[in-house]
Amino acid sequence: MISQEDANRENQKIIDALRKEFELLTKRLDHEVEPALTFMLSPSIEAES
Amino acid sequence: MTVREIGALLRTRKTSCVEFLQQTFREIKTRDSFNSFITLTPDLALAEAAARDRELAEGMDRGPFHGIPIAVKDIFYTVGVATTAGSLVFGDFIPDHDATVVSRLRTAGAISIGKTNLHELAYGITSKNPHYGFVLNPVDPTRIPGGSSGGSASAVAAGFVPMALGSDTGGSIRIPASYCGITGLKPTYGRVSRYGVLPLAFSLDHIGPLGSGVEDCALAMNAIAGPDPLDASCSQAAVPDFNLPPRTDLKDVRVGLPRNFFFNRVDEQVSAAVHNSLSMMQTLGAFIHEMEIPDLNAVNTAARVVQLAEVAALYAGRHDAALFGSDVWDLIQQGKLIAGYEYVNAQRLRTLFCEEFNKLWRVIDVLAAPTTPVAAPGLHETEVQIGDEWENTRMASTRLVRAVNYLGIPALSMPCGKTTSGLPIGLQLISSPFSEAKLLQIARTLEPLLGSLNR
């Protein structure tokens, strides 16, 4: 059984590693890219089909 | 048995719906050592079966699902029947209405026999549920069935029902289909209503069938897919017949064989079985197109950010860790560490990745790949060995399936052989948005050739 403190530390470590990979990806974004919130109504993928 | 085979018995009066259901419950009582179900509903099911028998006697036939027993993952609302999500959080929840898909299957004549066990809150891939018991893999009960739709997969693999409903947020239909040797379809985002289904991650959740064969999934899609005014995320796109007959060949079908990503860090036997399936497709006349595909490691990273944040949004207000299994609790805590701007940027990246990936469909009809890099891991294996490397079981199991949820495109897993120790191997076929009918038809055409490898 690990303590809550240890678990929190481990969770932070996992997110830090994820964040490091993710930050590299965000370099691909310029100001014109909008979030895929419309994804939730599917028009963007319907347009492709 | 398949939906068609059971239907033939009922229509030729070799058995009645009631007799078949009684036999099903006897089978479950004597053979379900796999913990497939959280709740069985024999009284309700037998009453419905009697009604379906009366209808058949009066000449009323609701179609392929008339009188067919099915099972429903315990995150789908079922009126008057507990819907726990495999969690203590929803331990006392009894919905006052059915999920749209449950209601549609009922109208099509299907009879739900109960609610299947799952990974707690549908948030994990082992289906080792700390509250309702571990689901075991019917192929080898010392192994996990996969998850989160583990009980649905085990109910189908054990032969209790020909079709069960599942949900797929990061592979939760396809992983258990792969590990249990059955077929599972994750449709296009928005193709199937999610009304009345407990959410996990709003923009990644998909509803779909797990079946004993491809046709069971196709018939289920005919019953459940299509617009739903009760679900704003449900597409208005026209619904085709999903159960097209198998073709005589696969001439004019362009199959993508990815050079990168999908075959990196994959067990040799899995890789060989999938390549063998591709050879069979080629024998049927398909054109195999070896190709580089967009970087799905990057897509997986962004998909994890979206999933962690969306799940945390649902459970951030819960402060009692004792209500949760430690794995699920930890994932919720991790999600709370994602910043708002990071979530938005993960959705902005989604715009780019979808555009990039959808270009593939100009040159291929379907992408063929393994569903999981390994066959079903042991119940207590927290890591799996792939070649000389060890990988966390959850990360390995989701690695080849997660991106498809983020991209919203349809994907199917079907059995394509076994390892030397007799464990099923899953072939994943991925296609363009709203092309499930074509995807299922290709799979149906291939299925008989793979059949002998799966026995």
Side-chain angles (χ1 to χ4, degrees):
Chain A
M1 190 76 177
I2 63 168
S3 71
Q4 193 53 56
E5 264 182 22
D6 285 345
N8 290 347
R9 246 193 308 276
E10 187 58 29
N11 287 335
Q12 186 66 57
K13 218 165 87 184
I14 288 167
I15 292 302
D16 287 346
L18 177 64
R19 182 167 283 137
K20 208 167 145 188
E21 289 172 32
F22 184 68
E23 276 173 4
L24 290 174
L25 301 182
T26 56
K27 290 189 177 24
R28 301 183 193 193
L29 293 170
D30 62 38
H31 280 75
E32 287 180 11
V33 181
E34 292 190 11
L37 296 178
T38 49
F39 186 90
M40 301 185 81
L41 291 171
S42 305
S44 54
I45 44 179
E46 275 175 36
E48 289 287 339
S49 63
Chain B
M1 287 172 88
T2 66
V3 170
R4 285 267 187 228
E5 287 165 349
I6 300 168
L9 292 178
L10 299 175
R11 285 179 187 82
T12 55
R13 308 291 193 270
K14 292 205 168 101
T15 186
S16 68
C17 301
V18 168
E19 285 166 352
F20 196 83
L21 262 285
Q22 285 169 333
Q23 178 60 25
T24 298
F25 284 113
R26 274 196 297 273
E27 285 273 315
I28 292 170
K29 196 171 173 186
T30 53
R31 285 204 298 118
D32 189 17
S33 50
F34 317 117
N35 241 325
S36 309
F37 292 90
I38 290 178
T39 306
L40 283 166
T41 51
D43 293 346
L44 284 170
L46 287 166
E48 283 187 47
R52 297 294 84 76
D53 277 333
R54 279 194 299 276
E55 288 173 354
L56 278 182
E58 290 162 6
M60 179 184 171
D61 188 335
R62 293 174 183 243
F65 273 102
H66 192 114
I68 304 293
I70 62 161
V72 177
K73 186 177 183 178
D74 207 17
I75 59 167
F76 291 82
Y77 286 21
T78 40
V79 61
V81 178
T83 298
T84 68
S87 159
L88 298 182
V89 173
F90 298 100
D92 301 323
F93 177 49
I94 299 178
D96 61 5
H97 61 278
D98 282 335
T100 292
V101 289
V102 170
S103 157
R104 286 182 180 175
L105 277 162
R106 215 187 283 282
T107 303
I111 301 170
S112 169
I113 62 165
K115 308 297 289 291
T116 56
N117 202 348
L118 65 156
H119 199 105
E120 180 181 10
L121 292 174
Y123 204 7
I125 59 89
T126 66
S127 299
K128 287 163 62 174
N129 192 303
H131 316 298
Y132 301 92
F134 291 9
V135 187
L136 309 179
N137 189 324
V139 179
D140 176 351
T142 67
R143 295 178 181 272
I144 59 168
S148 61
S149 311
S152 289
S154 87
V156 172
F160 301 139
V161 288
M163 193 284 291
L165 283 176
S167 64
D168 191 318
T169 303
S172 286
I173 287 173
R174 289 159 291 152
I175 296 165
S178 172
Y179 287 165
C180 291
I182 60 170
T183 303
L185 172 72
K186 183 205 83 65
T188 308
Y189 186 85
R191 179 61 107 178
V192 177
S193 167
R194 301 180 301 174
Y195 177 73
V197 186
L198 284 165
L200 178 64
F202 295 103
S203 75
L204 299 167
D205 291 342
H206 299 68
I207 305 308
L210 295 106
S212 64
V214 180
E215 190 183 22
D216 298 315
C217 292
L219 292 171
M221 284 296 289
N222 277 349
I224 65 176
D228 179 8
L230 297 172
D231 178 359
S233 70
C234 200
S235 166
Q236 296 298 316
V239 180
D241 179 2
F242 292 99
N243 193 34
L244 300 173
R247 297 161 47 136
T248 52
D249 58 53
L250 291 178
K251 282 175 192 156
D252 79 25
V253 174
R254 302 162 302 168
V255 181
L257 169 58
R259 278 196 210 103
N260 57 320
F261 183 75
F262 276 110
F263 291 94
N264 300 342
R265 276 189 296 141
V266 168
D267 177 83
E268 278 178 19
Q269 293 186 68
V270 171
S271 176
V274 172
H275 278 100
N276 184 47
S277 308
L278 277 144
S279 299
M280 288 182 175
M281 293 174 99
Q282 197 166 24
T283 307
L284 286 168
F287 173 70
I288 308 296
H289 185 72
E290 273 197 61
M291 63 195 310
E292 291 288 320
I293 59 164
D295 179 9
L296 292 189
N297 284 313
V299 176
N300 276 343
T301 297
R304 282 179 64 205
V305 171
V306 169
Q307 178 162 347
L308 284 162
E310 289 188 359
V311 182
L314 285 171
Y315 296 105
R318 300 276 179 178
H319 302 293
D320 186 355
L323 285 177
F324 299 86
S326 60
D327 61 330
V328 169
W329 179 252
D330 281 340
L331 286 168
I332 294 168
Q333 303 319 303
Q334 288 166 27
K336 287 156 79 171
L337 299 172
I338 303 287
Y341 73 89
E342 290 171 319
Y343 174 74
V344 173
N345 278 340
Q347 291 288 11
R348 293 174 74 213
L349 282 165
R350 191 177 205 165
T351 305
L352 295 184
F353 287 136
C354 285
E355 282 171 9
E356 202 181 334
F357 206 83
N358 280 336
K359 286 179 189 156
L360 284 187
W361 312 122
R362 294 176 193 158
V363 287
I364 58 166
D365 298 296
V366 65
L367 191 68
T371 307
T372 50
V374 290
L379 272 176
H380 303 292
E381 280 183 80
T382 53
E383 292 191 323
V384 289
Q385 186 171 18
I386 306 169
D388 296 333
E389 291 181 57
W390 289 87
E391 186 174 3
N392 171 281
T393 300
R394 184 172 67 86
M395 296 305 277
S397 298
T398 56
R399 176 156 48 84
L400 307 182
V401 285
R402 181 186 295 284
V404 167
N405 293 72
Y406 179 82
L407 299 169
I409 50 182
L412 171 146
S413 179
M414 64 191 298
C416 68
K418 290 187 170 180
T419 64
T420 48
S421 46
L423 297 174
I425 296 169
L427 165 69
Q428 184 174 209
L429 299 175
I430 303 166
S431 64
S432 60
F434 296 95
S435 67
E436 293 90 348
K438 183 173 67 183
L439 179 64
L440 287 159
Q441 190 182 32
I442 291 169
R444 276 194 79 184
T445 307
L446 181 61
E447 192 175 35
L449 273 76
L450 297 175
S452 62
L453 303 171
N454 298 322
R455 280 193 277 276

